[in-house]
């Protein structure tokens, strides 16, 4: 066992406070990571606030983790001390089921182990990346390419893969019109990745506030959805819509923006059910789909894709004492575009 500093929430909705947590002793296939940066994903807020159902407390959130390997277990073969690495939303899976064998560990038949707010196969509760050290099996560590800074790479471990996966699966590329609803942490990655894949990208944001940023990130078009005539004008336009919004939307209004046979993929996780008129789907044989992060091999592929295409997260780096304020700012969409915690600022405990 080793002790490390972390930010943790004592109960649902509690503020994050600095404290000391324990990490397991290194197993043979584990790496010890000195965490440098941890991104704040909206999912962290949903879970700390118990908006998705019962959660495990005390909770150390964080599944957008970047750092440097500082120790390796006896049989680790893929990493050495000093390697730059990342960890995303999962830290274990059975490794034997069809999905694991296919590199889709997020669908593991035994249940993949979440990086935090989860229980490991050893029965221990998992604690995430808002901390200075993390122990993880090398199977769930990713290599961060040299071209990417650790700070701007951290958010790729969730926001990057969560958008890369459906863009690739649903064929974003040359000749395809892709719209991204909501330009937040996930949305600003979706715009960059879809553009790099060669698609014609549109941002559907509530206001015109982020229009210049949208263009800089590679969107050819930008629409403010609060203007009443915006959605009616765009009917039947897009081949693919990636919906990153974590609040209620009038789904029928957005499904109408798809061309026949087009697909809308939800990655946002609002807390209430969607309501959809059957005709919104049946009329143009449209698809309404969901997408859940991505597997480990594809996460590595995404990191390399981002490095090769000069893509990274646009971040605001914060210190540990700013995290609670940052949560409120994420909820009010007051972040450009991801908060990243500098974990060195977690204060030492007496
Ligand atoms: P975020 O940074 O808060 O971005 C969400 C964006 O949605 C906002 O920037 C805003 O964009 C828009 N939005 C917010 N409130 C809205 C409202 N009331 N009506 C319409 N639009 C609104 O959050 P995020 O970190 O990108 O995460 C987004 C969602 O994805 C969360 O629910 C999160 O839990 C989920 N998630 C899912 C996966 C997965 O595997 N599927 C992975 C990670 C996260 P504009 O200001 O541009 O309108
Ligand atoms: Zn996330």
């Amino acid at each position: 066992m080793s002790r490390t500093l972390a930010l943790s929430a004592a109960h649902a909705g509690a503020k994050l406070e600095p404290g000391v947590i324990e990490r397991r002793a290194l197993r043979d296939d584990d790496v010890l990571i000195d965490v440098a940066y941890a991104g704040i994903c909206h999912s962290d807020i949903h879970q700390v606030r118990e908006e998705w159902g019962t959660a495990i407390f005390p909770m150390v959130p964080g599944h957008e983790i970047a750092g440097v390997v500082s120790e390796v277990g006896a049989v680790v073969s893929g990493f050495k001390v000093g390697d730059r690495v990342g960890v995303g939303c999962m830290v274990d899976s059975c490794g034997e089921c069809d999905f694991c064998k296919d590199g889709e560990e997020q669908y593991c038949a035994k249940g993949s182990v979440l990086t935090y707010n989860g229980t490991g196969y050893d029965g221990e509760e998992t604690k995430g990346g808002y901390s200075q050290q993390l122990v993880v099996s090398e199977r769930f560590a990713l290599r961060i390419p040299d071209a990417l800074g650790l700070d701007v790479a951290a958010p790729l471990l969730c926001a990057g893969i969560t958008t890369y996966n459906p863009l690739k699966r649903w064929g974003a590329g040359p000749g395809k019109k892709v719209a991204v609803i909501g330009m937040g942490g996930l949305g600003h990655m979706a715009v960059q990745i879809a553009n790099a894949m060669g698609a014609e990208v549109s941002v559907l944001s509530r206001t015109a506030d982020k229009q210049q940023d949208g263009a800089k990130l590679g969107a050819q078009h930008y629409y403010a959805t609060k203007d009443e005539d915006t959605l009616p004008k765009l009917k039947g336009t897009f081949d693919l819509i990636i919906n990153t919004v974590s609040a209620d939307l009038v789904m029928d209004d957005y499904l109408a923006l798809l061309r026949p046979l087009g697909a809308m993929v939800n990655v946002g996780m609002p807390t209430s059910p969607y309501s959809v008129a059957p005709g919104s789907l049946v009329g143009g044989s449209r698809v309404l789909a969901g997408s859940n992060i991505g597997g480990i091999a594809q996460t590595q592929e995404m990191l390399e894709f981002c490095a090769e295409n000069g893509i990274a997260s646009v971040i605001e780096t914060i210190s540990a004492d700013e995290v609670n304020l940052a949560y409120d700012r994420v909820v009010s969409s007051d972040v450009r575009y991801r908060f990243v915690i500098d974990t060195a600022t977690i204060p030492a405990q007496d």
Side-chain angles (χ1 to χ4, degrees), residues 107-123:
Y107 313 128
C108 172
K110 188 173 171 184
S112 55
V113 177
L114 297 177
T115 304
Y116 70 90
N117 191 23
T119 305
Y121 296 153
D122 58 3

Side-chain angles (χ1 to χ4, degrees), residues 41 43 63 158:
C41 177
S43 301
H63 60 206
C158 175

Side-chain angles (χ1 to χ4, degrees), residues 273-297:
Y274 301 122
S275 163
V276 178
S280 296
L281 296 174
V282 174
S285 303
R286 298 183 173 96
V287 179
L288 176 60
S291 190
N292 180 26
I293 53 174
I296 295 299

Side-chain angles (χ1 to χ4, degrees), residues 40-46 52 63-64 89 158-159 162 181-188 203-207 210 222 225 243-249 254 266-270 290-294 330-338:
I40 296 180
C41 177
H42 206 123
S43 301
D44 300 344
I45 303 171
H46 287 307
W52 288 343
H63 60 206
E64 295 185 336
C89 299
C158 175
T162 300
I181 315 177
M183 203 164 82
L186 266 54
H188 92 291
V203 172
L204 299 175
S205 181
R206 285 165 297 173
T207 65
K210 307 174 196 168
Y222 184 105
T225 55
N243 175 19
T244 74
V245 173
S246 52
D248 289 340
L249 285 185
Y254 286 89
N266 290 325
V267 289
M269 290 269 286
S291 190
N292 180 26
I293 53 174
V330 171
V331 171
S332 54
S333 301
D334 176 23
V335 50
R336 300 289 187 273
Y337 282 88
R338 203 52 140 185

Side-chain angles (χ1 to χ4, degrees), residues 60-71:
V60 178
H63 60 206
E64 295 185 336
I65 302 161
V68 175
V69 173
S70 57
E71 210 179 318

Side-chain angles (χ1 to χ4, degrees), residues 17-65:
E17 306 279 359
V20 175
I21 60 164
E22 289 195 329
R23 296 294 188 188
R24 68 174 180 242
L26 246 60
R27 297 174 185 153
D28 286 352
D29 67 335
D30 278 343
V31 293
L32 176 66
I33 299 170
D34 286 345
V35 177
Y37 298 99
I40 296 180
C41 177
H42 206 123
S43 301
D44 300 344
I45 303 171
H46 287 307
Q47 290 174 91
V48 166
R49 298 186 177 173
E50 226 172 37
E51 292 168 352
W52 288 343
T54 309
I56 303 169
F57 294 94
M59 182 190 295
V60 178
H63 60 206
E64 295 185 336
I65 302 161

